Amino acid sequence: MIRWIVTDLDGTLVGRDLAMVPASREALHRFREAGGEVVVATGRMESSARPYYDELGLDADAILYNGAATVNLATGTVLRSRPLPATAWKTLLGLLGELPEGVYPVAFSGGAAVAVDDVPELREYARRDGITLRDPGDWAALPPDEITKCMLIGGPLPELDIVGTVTVRSEATYLEVLSEQATKGNALRELAAARHVPMKQVAAIGDNPNDLDMIAAAGVGFAVGDGHPDVVAAADVVARACADGALVDVVELAFRSNAWGEGKRES
């Protein structure tokens, strides 16, 4: 039985035009009407994920910041938070001035996204995610124990090895630095345990390397058909391309597994 479908947003449920793919949206509506639950798991922050959450009509919890926080977006309640260790942020501070040309940092703290550079790459990122970047004036002004994550945007992206952290690629030009506990897979395991949902009853789908541990953790792990080759190779099932409605394949498998009639749970 599949009780939960956990879906990434960009490149999975949301297309290049930043709109939810209609076929995937309608498939998830059918799944929810039949009694299933949908969980969003994304690298986006609260204000950036909220429009898609509302479009789906969700009232459950969302995994945000690539697993660094789990938040009920209907109430604003933070259920889980795994910020960067203060020591890791201090190490990062020492590296920010030595980044390769064309690489720009964005930090997330207290529900805000902050950046000191005003460049086209960051303006495009902010437009795409529907957020405003705040200038902190000085990176050192941020509370060192309240950094949810740090992103490096642009390229070529450096290799980083900082104690207490993990790095993931969420896009070809996005490198995210997170607490080693802050992954989508860890967040999903903890949320499922808190809600008493066995992982074998969870299907998860994603398209980029930041989704790898999430699809590995799920009972059934799906890759978007036009996703990153590493994700396609690791998945239990390869769905159709994002633009073709990747979530349709997940929902169809759920209906078959659960022996549900179309749009209505059978007794």
Side-chain angles (χ1 to χ4, degrees), residues 12-74:
T12 301
L13 178 58
V14 175
R16 294 183 183 278
D17 60 355
L18 304 182
M20 201 175 294
V21 176
S24 287
R25 180 185 60 227
E26 295 311 312
L28 291 179
H29 282 322
R30 293 196 303 274
F31 179 70
R32 294 187 68 226
E33 288 171 357
E37 188 168 328
V38 174
V39 177
V40 167
T42 178
R44 290 175 179 252
M45 60 190 294
E46 292 90 338
S47 61
S48 182
R50 183 63 188 260
Y52 301 109
Y53 184 94
D54 290 345
E55 185 175 349
L56 287 172
L58 301 181
D59 55 7
D61 311 312
I63 296 169
L64 306 176
Y65 301 101
N66 271 319
T70 302
V71 181
N72 185 302
L73 290 179

Side-chain angles (χ1 to χ4, degrees), residues 9 164 224-225:
L9 287 180
V224 178

Side-chain angles (χ1 to χ4, degrees), residues 40-226:
V40 167
T42 178
R44 290 175 179 252
M45 60 190 294
E46 292 90 338
S47 61
S48 182
R50 183 63 188 260
Y52 301 109
Y53 184 94
D54 290 345
E55 185 175 349
L56 287 172
L58 301 181
D59 55 7
D61 311 312
I63 296 169
L64 306 176
Y65 301 101
N66 271 319
T70 302
V71 181
N72 185 302
L73 290 179
T75 64
T77 302
V78 178
L79 305 170
R80 174 185 183 274
S81 178
R82 298 292 184 272
L84 281 170
T87 53
W89 173 243
K90 290 177 181 177
T91 299
L92 265 173
L93 282 179
L95 299 174
L96 294 185
E98 303 174 2
L99 293 174
E101 185 177 354
V103 177
Y104 307 99
V106 177
F108 297 80
S109 179
V114 299
V116 299
D117 300 292
D118 182 13
V119 294
E121 292 89 342
L122 295 191
R123 290 196 292 270
E124 172 57 20
Y125 164 69
R127 182 200 68 80
R128 179 177 171 180
D129 267 31
I131 62 175
T132 299
L133 295 176
R134 179 174 63 82
D135 185 348
D138 183 346
W139 285 117
L142 297 177
D145 57 349
E146 297 179 15
I147 308 298
T148 306
K149 71 173 183 177
C150 182
M151 287 181 68
L152 303 181
I153 295 176
L157 293 165
E159 297 292 332
L160 296 177
D161 185 10
I162 300 173
V163 174
T165 73
V166 63
T167 57
V168 295
R169 297 286 184 109
S170 52
E171 296 284 350
T173 56
Y174 296 174
L175 180 69
E176 308 206 15
V177 186
L178 303 138
S179 163
E180 60 188 355
Q181 299 176 330
T183 68
K184 287 187 180 183
N186 285 341
L188 175 56
R189 290 184 190 94
E190 291 188 29
L191 179 59
R195 299 281 299 278
H196 307 292
V197 175
M199 290 301 296
K200 65 182 180 180
Q201 296 181 357
V202 176
I205 182 169
D207 70 310
N208 263 314
N210 60 311
D211 299 311
L212 279 168
D213 75 326
M214 178 178 77
I215 67 171
V220 185
F222 283 80
V224 178
D226 55 348

